[in-house]
Amino acid sequence: MHAIATPKPTLLFAIASDDVEQVRKVLESGDAGPNDQVGPQSALAFALTNDNLTHKNEIVKALLAYGADPAALRDPNLNPAPHTPLADESDVASFIDHPPPATTLEGMDPATRYFVSRADAAHTRQTSQLIHRSFFRPLTRVRYDVVGQDRALEQLFRVLSTHSQRLSVTPIVVLLCGPSGHGKSLLARKFGSLLDVPTHTVNMTTLRSTHDLWQSYSMSPYEEPSSNTLAQFLLDNEGKQCVVVLDEIEKTENEKALWSLLMPWELGRCSLEAGKRHVDVRNVVWLGTSNIGHDLVFQYHESRSDPDAPMTREEYSDLTSQLRPRVSQCLGASLLSRVTTVLPFVPFSLDEKKAICAEAIYTLAGDAVRTMLPRDIELMVMKALPGYFPAEGARSLYRAVSNQLVDYV
């Protein structure tokens, strides 16, 4: 007699441990898949119905980021309904089957509802296909770190798809433009970590000359401390995939400091010092963040018939065409002509603001979250929404939630 092989319940243990990193580690290793069954349920349904999880929202996002299919929540074989007995418990016909409330959109908090709906949207699946077979595929997970900016991500994936198919011979240069607090720096920060490639972040406000650019140290608190300058970083990663983030690029004191970017952005070659050999930077992805055009973004947003609705592709394309001349005026036509794409970051829709507020509650409330009922979270979100200031973005919502929590505690 042969023993029946059973799959290792590593994903079940990872989810039940309430440890987001363990869930990611299991999924990354391939020991389990995001759509595996955990007992009678899909992994996604198991996480949503587990009331003992303090980090439920983060675990659900991790499952979605690695490909968990929300359609499983509508499948009674993967999301079995609890049997609710009526008056006569001996009558089998007195049981009514309904999906567990926590697995329905109506039973989710605003953040979980937003991310599950996002993963289930046809638009999400279509744009993910653009880079499905490329080196950049892990970037699809950024949707579960950054709220909103669907059109910016769609255009970014199109650019990366073109580059992956060798339909473009110039390096990738992307400018993320628009108001503060809407995800530009977060996307730039996640770019390298999701691809698992080295990243060097330059604080462009400190530059005074072209020499300062190459001698600048990485200034991001989210990266491993390094004593390497940008020049040394490019030499160490010559010919390899890596990311250089130019933060607040328009705030460079002397615009001449940007001139040294002309050759690497056009030819993929970099002259770090006069008389020295050129360095191969063709595989560097250059990401610039900027507030250029934030007033234009707000004006365009308010002129729409329904500002609270997500922006359509046509609207986003129109906004981009209006923004590019602004960027050219600020940075110069010569530099902009070498930029692959300019991506406007736009104000949040109503559902996106609700999701941010709910995530702020989970982040700021600590252990108090355990005592909060879904209706408490929903009520706090609604009270925090008026505190949204477009010019401050998500920061204003976090502040509003913080004030609500003081009253709640």
Side-chain angles (χ1 to χ4, degrees):
M1 182 179 293
H2 298 285
I4 299 175
T6 56
K8 292 187 293 184
T10 50
L11 186 56
L12 183 153
F13 291 149
I15 295 173
S17 71
D18 202 17
D19 188 332
V20 184
E21 285 308 314
Q22 282 300 316
V23 173
R24 290 196 184 102
K25 191 175 296 184
V26 169
L27 294 172
E28 191 73 46
S29 69
D31 288 343
N35 293 300
D36 287 358
Q37 282 190 247
V38 177
Q41 299 172 289
S42 70
L44 186 58
F46 175 72
L48 286 167
T49 55
N50 191 330
D51 293 330
N52 295 319
L53 300 180
T54 301
H55 303 105
K56 181 186 294 188
N57 177 255
E58 292 299 314
I59 290 173
V60 168
K61 288 200 298 180
L63 290 169
L64 294 171
Y66 280 88
D69 187 356
L73 301 178
R74 300 187 289 272
D75 185 344
N77 294 315
L78 298 174
N79 186 25
H83 292 291
T84 307
L86 298 179
D88 185 0
E89 295 189 9
S90 63
D91 184 0
V92 176
S94 68
F95 289 87
I96 299 177
D97 288 345
H98 293 291
T103 65
T104 65
L105 292 178
E106 295 77 14
M108 299 175 190
D109 67 85
T112 305
R113 184 188 312 137
Y114 170 79
F115 287 111
V116 169
S117 298
R118 193 178 206 184
D120 204 25
H123 172 265
T124 298
R125 294 191 293 272
Q126 290 165 2
T127 55
S128 294
Q129 285 300 315
L130 291 169
I131 54 174
H132 180 70
R133 298 186 182 279
S134 82
F135 166 79
F136 298 105
R137 179 180 179 179
L139 285 177
T140 58
R141 298 176 199 154
V142 81
R143 288 194 184 93
Y144 307 98
D145 293 308
V146 177
V147 173
Q149 311 309 334
D150 286 315
R151 296 303 172 190
L153 293 177
E154 178 185 359
Q155 180 58 23
L156 175 63
F157 292 172
R158 288 182 183 280
V159 167
L160 298 178
S161 175
T162 299
H163 190 273
S164 298
Q165 296 174 55
R166 302 299 177 186
L167 301 178
S168 174
V169 294
T170 57
I172 298 173
V173 183
V174 179
L175 294 186
L176 314 177
C177 298
S180 296
H182 287 81
K184 301 187 302 296
S185 296
L186 179 58
L187 174 58
R189 187 170 80 234
K190 291 289 183 179
F191 204 98
S193 61
L194 285 172
L195 295 177
D196 195 25
V197 298
T199 301
H200 190 99
T201 300
V202 179
N203 178 0
M204 299 296 282
T205 64
T206 64
L207 303 191
R208 301 293 181 270
S209 68
T210 55
H211 177 75
D212 288 347
L213 175 62
W214 307 124
Q215 296 306 310
S216 60
Y217 296 98
S218 189
M219 303 294 287
S220 174
Y222 305 99
E223 298 162 13
E224 289 294 322
S226 172
S227 58
N228 281 351
T229 62
L230 177 57
Q232 190 60 51
F233 174 83
L234 294 175
L235 285 168
D236 290 346
N237 294 284
E238 184 171 11
K240 302 175 185 176
Q241 295 280 0
C242 60
V243 176
V244 174
V245 178
L246 306 176
D247 200 30
E248 308 283 10
I249 190 172
E250 86 283 11
K251 294 183 175 65
T252 304
E253 183 175 299
N254 185 348
E255 65 177 24
K256 292 181 179 179
L258 301 177
W259 292 359
S260 57
L261 293 169
L262 295 175
M263 186 167 72
W265 284 8
E266 181 169 15
L267 302 176
R269 299 286 175 180
C270 186
S271 178
L272 301 174
E273 193 176 342
K276 300 291 185 178
R277 73 172 181 87
H278 288 172
V279 178
D280 181 0
V281 294
R282 286 173 293 179
N283 289 322
V284 176
V285 176
W286 303 83
L287 299 176
T289 68
S290 169
N291 295 131
I292 296 173
H294 68 279
D295 54 340
L296 173 64
V297 170
F298 288 138
Q299 291 166 11
Y300 190 92
H301 177 74
E302 291 301 322
S303 69
R304 299 168 62 226
S305 58
D306 185 3
D308 275 331
M311 193 170 283
T312 66
R313 182 187 297 179
E314 292 73 19
E315 288 174 328
Y316 190 77
S317 178
D318 184 31
L319 174 59
T320 303
S321 65
Q322 293 185 39
L323 178 62
R324 200 169 175 100
R326 290 280 189 98
V327 179
S328 178
Q329 185 178 14
C330 185
L331 300 182
S334 182
L335 194 70
L336 183 63
S337 66
R338 292 161 169 82
V339 171
T340 312
T341 189
V342 175
L343 301 179
F345 274 52
V346 301
F348 299 117
S349 70
L350 179 59
D351 286 342
E352 291 162 1
K353 286 183 279 190
K354 289 180 179 180
I356 293 169
C357 287
E359 290 217 300
I361 293 171
Y362 290 126
T363 301
L364 302 174
D367 291 338
V369 171
R370 289 180 177 272
T371 66
M372 299 176 73
L373 298 173
R375 64 173 179 268
D376 295 329
I377 295 176
E378 193 85 40
L379 180 61
M380 188 174 293
V381 165
M382 297 308 294
K383 287 183 176 180
L385 285 177
Y388 173 65
F389 293 99
E392 299 178 28
R395 296 184 186 93
S396 64
L397 290 173
Y398 269 73
R399 184 171 61 247
V401 166
S402 180
N403 292 335
Q404 291 294 324
L405 284 170
V406 170
D407 296 336
Y408 180 85
V409 174

